[in-house]
Amino acid sequence: MSFSHLASLLTPDARCVLAFSGGLDSSVLLHQLVSWQRQLPQLRVRALHVHHGLSPNADSWASHCLQTCQQWQIPCEVLRVQVDGHAKGIEAAAREARYQALFQQLQPGEHLLTAQHLDDQCETLLLALKRGSGPAGLAAMPIQRQVGEYSHLRPLLGLSRQQLEAYAAEYRLRWIEDESNADSRYDRNFLRQQILPLLQARWPHFSAASARSAALCGEQEQLLDELLAEQLAQLTDEQGALHFPPLLGMSEARRHALLRRWIAQQGGAMPSREALKRITDEVMQSREDANPSLIFAACTLRRYRQQLFWLKPQPSLSQHSLTWHDRKQLLRLPDDLGTLQANPAIATLRQPTEDESINVCFQASGYHYLLGRAGGREMKKLWQELGVPPWQRERIPLIYYNQTLICAPGLFITREGAASDEQGWQALWLQQQ
């Protein structure tokens, strides 16, 4: 048996984690990994089975996977997930929940292997055509991709389902059949049951030809990535904000290509062509004093001072308050904002009096006088002078003595909070990375 499709992706001492559904495809891949491991004892293989809870047979499928792995002496773990199909549909929601659970279980140095094959690739390409996708969507599924620090590999992508069935018959493999695969209401099942058989009857090599088209689209996207990478890096700051005015002088094709890659870097889903035009018309070209935004699924695109920001949901903390009782201890801030630390070695803030408590809030209003600045400022004007976008202002910890604003650590100190001698202290905001 040749394992060339595995050897081309994996080193002999690789650490493999198989997404094992128990169906034909993943059963074949698991058997191949077990057989290859017998030749390469240093190869490490374990399996993860995602229990979606969508089928009355889900428990028996999990039991089958555990028994199969026990028989072949492969560690296996069942991951239970919750699937909410209201927003994206059950297929997309289940896929998203599955991959999220799988990647969360990976250890450093491990590779995730999934068992999509040539016919799956053809279906993915046809679905992309149905959506009116561009080259990135038509590239379908890559044989390998990087997700954060992990590699996601699809070793069977060059093999047809017919080849997998022949392999399973030769080695007398047992697998489960998901009853939902017979439901043609799902787009992928409709293609698999009613469309692809007609296409392959007329053109027997249709799936292989489709895979070549997808690979060519993938090459074109990779080339664009390489050509645009330097320019995109020049336009993007350390926080991921995009300086957009240069884009307005470009052709629409180049502007859209850069926007797509910037959004992908922020972890956003690929926007439609119409959505990209709205970013230009309604956000980048809106009047200077406007505060435009567009909502994309769970994220929001906003503009501030000639920059675009891709924002994940962030709750307002304006009503949240904490009391810092012991400055020898770090004060943990809500919503993963990090901690506050008191540094007694540097005197920038005065010590509180006996009747003053140290409070931390996330909202300020009124008129304030800052240390080192002539005259006072309205709080809104202060935030503008400091260049703090509106959506960040209620997520910055503000230190008060009772009801008196003392400082925003790292940003400003008020005259009322400034140290007048060497007996003061410094507040440090240690932000979570």
Side-chain angles (χ1 to χ4, degrees), residues 175-355:
W175 65 88
I176 59 176
E177 291 287 355
D178 185 341
E179 74 277 356
S180 70
N181 289 337
D183 190 345
S184 61
R185 291 177 299 175
Y186 297 124
D187 290 344
R188 193 173 285 273
N189 291 344
F190 170 72
L191 290 174
R192 185 176 301 155
Q193 296 165 17
Q194 301 187 35
I195 303 302
L196 279 177
L198 291 174
L199 294 173
Q200 291 172 342
R202 179 65 180 259
W203 302 296
H205 301 295
F206 184 84
S207 291
S210 298
R212 286 197 300 274
S213 293
L216 290 170
C217 288
E219 288 180 7
Q220 294 299 309
E221 281 299 291
Q222 182 180 347
L223 177 60
L224 276 177
D225 287 344
E226 295 173 3
L227 293 174
L228 296 174
E230 182 178 354
Q231 184 174 32
L232 184 58
Q234 293 173 348
L235 295 172
T236 308
D237 69 12
E238 294 180 356
Q239 286 71 45
L242 180 69
H243 181 64
F244 67 81
L247 272 66
L248 295 173
M250 300 176 186
S251 68
E252 182 179 84
R254 190 179 188 93
R255 179 168 65 250
H256 286 181
L258 285 165
L259 282 172
R260 287 191 186 98
R261 281 152 183 80
W262 174 70
I263 291 172
Q265 286 181 355
Q266 308 311 305
M270 192 60 62
S272 66
R273 189 168 183 269
E274 181 60 32
L276 293 172
K277 292 175 75 69
R278 291 187 64 195
I279 292 173
T280 299
D281 297 340
E282 300 177 26
V283 180
M284 291 194 289
Q285 293 184 328
S286 62
R287 68 181 192 274
E288 289 189 13
D289 60 345
N291 187 24
S293 65
L294 287 177
I295 296 175
F296 293 88
C299 297
T300 303
L301 181 137
R302 300 189 68 166
R303 187 193 78 182
Y304 184 70
R305 293 190 175 180
Q306 298 188 328
Q307 287 185 305
L308 298 181
F309 296 81
W310 188 265
L311 305 172
K312 296 179 181 178
Q314 294 181 328
S316 169
L317 300 176
S318 61
Q319 303 304 311
H320 209 103
S321 64
L322 305 167
T323 300
W324 199 352
H325 297 287
D326 182 4
R327 279 177 287 163
K328 294 180 181 179
Q329 303 294 324
L330 296 177
L331 180 67
R332 184 162 298 281
L333 301 173
D335 203 38
D336 296 327
L337 287 180
T339 57
L340 290 180
Q341 179 184 45
N343 177 16
I346 299 178
T348 57
L349 303 177
R350 68 174 176 84
Q351 297 289 353
T353 62
E354 290 186 2
D355 62 347

Side-chain angles (χ1 to χ4, degrees), residues 108-130:
E110 288 186 324
H111 306 284
L112 176 66
L113 276 64
T114 55
Q116 291 95 346
H117 52 73
L118 190 64
D119 299 81
D120 293 326
Q121 182 76 311
C122 182
E123 294 164 8
T124 302
L125 178 66
L126 292 174
L127 289 171
L129 284 171
K130 184 266 294 184

